[in-house]
Every structure is written in C-alpha cells, then in structure tokens.
Amino acid sequence: MSAMIFLSELLRRSIFDSDNRRIGTLRDVWVTLHETFPVVTALVVQHGLSAGVTNNDKIIPWSQIQSIEEAQIRLTVPQEEITSYTPQSGEILLKRDILDKQIVDTQGFRVVKVNDLKLAQIKHTARLVGVDIGMGGLLRRLGIETPVERLSRIMRIHLDER
C-alpha cells in the first residue's frame, strides 16, 4: 500500500531532474477522468516567480516522473530530455478546476466544498483517490494543521477527516 499524498502538500514542492538540478515548483496536476480513480497524466511546473499559469510553465508527462512521495519530486530524465505534454480532452487540472470548488457529494446528496485532494502513487501511476471536505483539509491548506492538531489533542477535540 502506498502513502497518501495531499495536493496541498504537493503544491509548491520543488521538482528536480535526474541530475539533481532544480527545475521549478509544482503548480498544478493534470488528471484524466476516464477511470473510477482519475489518473495523473502530467505535472505543471512553474519556472521563476510569476503568479498564474504563464509561458514559463512546463507540462511534464507522468511517464517522466519518478515519484511524488518524497520531499522533492524527482524526474526520470535530465532537464534537456524533458518532453512537453499536451493535455487531451477529458483532462482537468486539480488545483484550478476542483480545489475550493463546490461539488455534489453523491452519497450524502448535498453540495460540499473541496478543501483538499488525496492522491496515491500506485505501482507506476498516481491516482486521485479522495476528496477532503473536512476541517483538517482546510487547516492543511492554510498551513496551520499541526498547531491546531496539537491544540485539539490537549483540549480533547477530535478533527474528523471527511
């Protein structure tokens, strides 16, 4: 079983090529919706310090990603061999298109807000395996989950993962 990876923890993570040179930081993740658990097809990597999707961004195909489970995301190729990926129809960006959006919870038949997304690296793929609609996802996004977790343990308040 692989480790669970939250999108909020992945975003802004550094990406290094196979020669250990820093390429940039992760800005977004492309997935295809053709399967029950959407498959990651590519990573959007930001060069420089600009905000918003720019021409400085590289879209790197999943086939050139070694792992997203480490502290840094590693590629299987040196910088010069990175091939550009063109998203296909039926693919969406997780941060741009789903994070912070209202979606319908088909089990609870209600509209919920997406606070975070849960990914798992399984064999040679990475998949979207869950949507976090709980307070923990929101706190993780804001970068204050750990202090609040400590406080909740002291005060014996349980933060549900939903």
Side-chain angles (χ1 to χ4, degrees):
M1 183 66 197
S2 71
M4 290 297 167
I5 306 149
F6 287 98
L7 183 65
S8 63
E9 294 167 349
L10 272 183
L11 294 174
R12 295 179 306 278
R13 197 172 274 186
S14 291
I15 299 180
F16 291 85
D17 74 356
S18 61
D19 294 332
N20 213 27
R21 288 176 293 182
R22 190 173 180 279
I23 306 296
T25 52
L26 183 66
R27 182 196 293 283
D28 214 332
V29 177
W30 281 102
V31 297
T32 179
L33 301 177
H34 299 306
E35 296 188 40
T36 306
F37 294 105
V39 176
V40 173
T41 54
L43 302 182
V44 180
V45 180
Q46 174 187 348
H47 275 11
L49 302 169
S50 53
V53 176
T54 67
N55 295 340
N56 290 337
D57 289 349
K58 276 190 173 164
I59 302 177
I60 301 175
W62 176 257
S63 60
Q64 295 190 323
I65 309 298
Q66 183 179 313
S67 173
I68 58 172
E69 294 180 309
E70 313 302 321
Q72 289 119 10
I73 298 167
R74 299 238 168 250
L75 303 183
T76 58
V77 295
Q79 191 167 352
E80 308 76 51
E81 291 177 31
I82 294 172
T83 55
S84 189
Y85 181 82
T86 305
Q88 309 298 303
S89 64
E91 290 186 27
I92 62 169
L93 284 165
L94 292 182
K95 179 183 174 199
R96 185 193 72 190
D97 300 331
I98 300 187
L99 210 54
D100 286 329
K101 300 293 189 284
Q102 303 270 331
I103 61 169
V104 176
D105 170 3
T106 54
Q107 273 137 9
F109 301 107
R110 62 201 166 104
V111 175
V112 294
K113 184 170 172 267
V114 177
N115 290 327
D116 209 347
L117 294 161
K118 196 183 275 193
L119 299 149
Q121 194 164 319
I122 303 158
K123 294 182 180 145
H124 300 296
T125 67
R127 294 176 181 268
L128 175 63
V129 295
V131 173
D132 191 335
I133 60 170
M135 184 57 77
L138 183 60
L139 295 172
R140 193 169 36 255
R141 289 272 308 285
L142 296 172
I144 57 173
E145 179 189 34
T146 309
V148 172
E149 275 180 342
R150 281 193 211 111
L151 187 62
S152 66
R153 270 200 302 274
I154 293 165
M155 299 177 73
R156 297 180 190 275
I157 300 167
H158 181 64
L159 292 176
D160 278 344
E161 186 175 288
R162 296 173 48 220

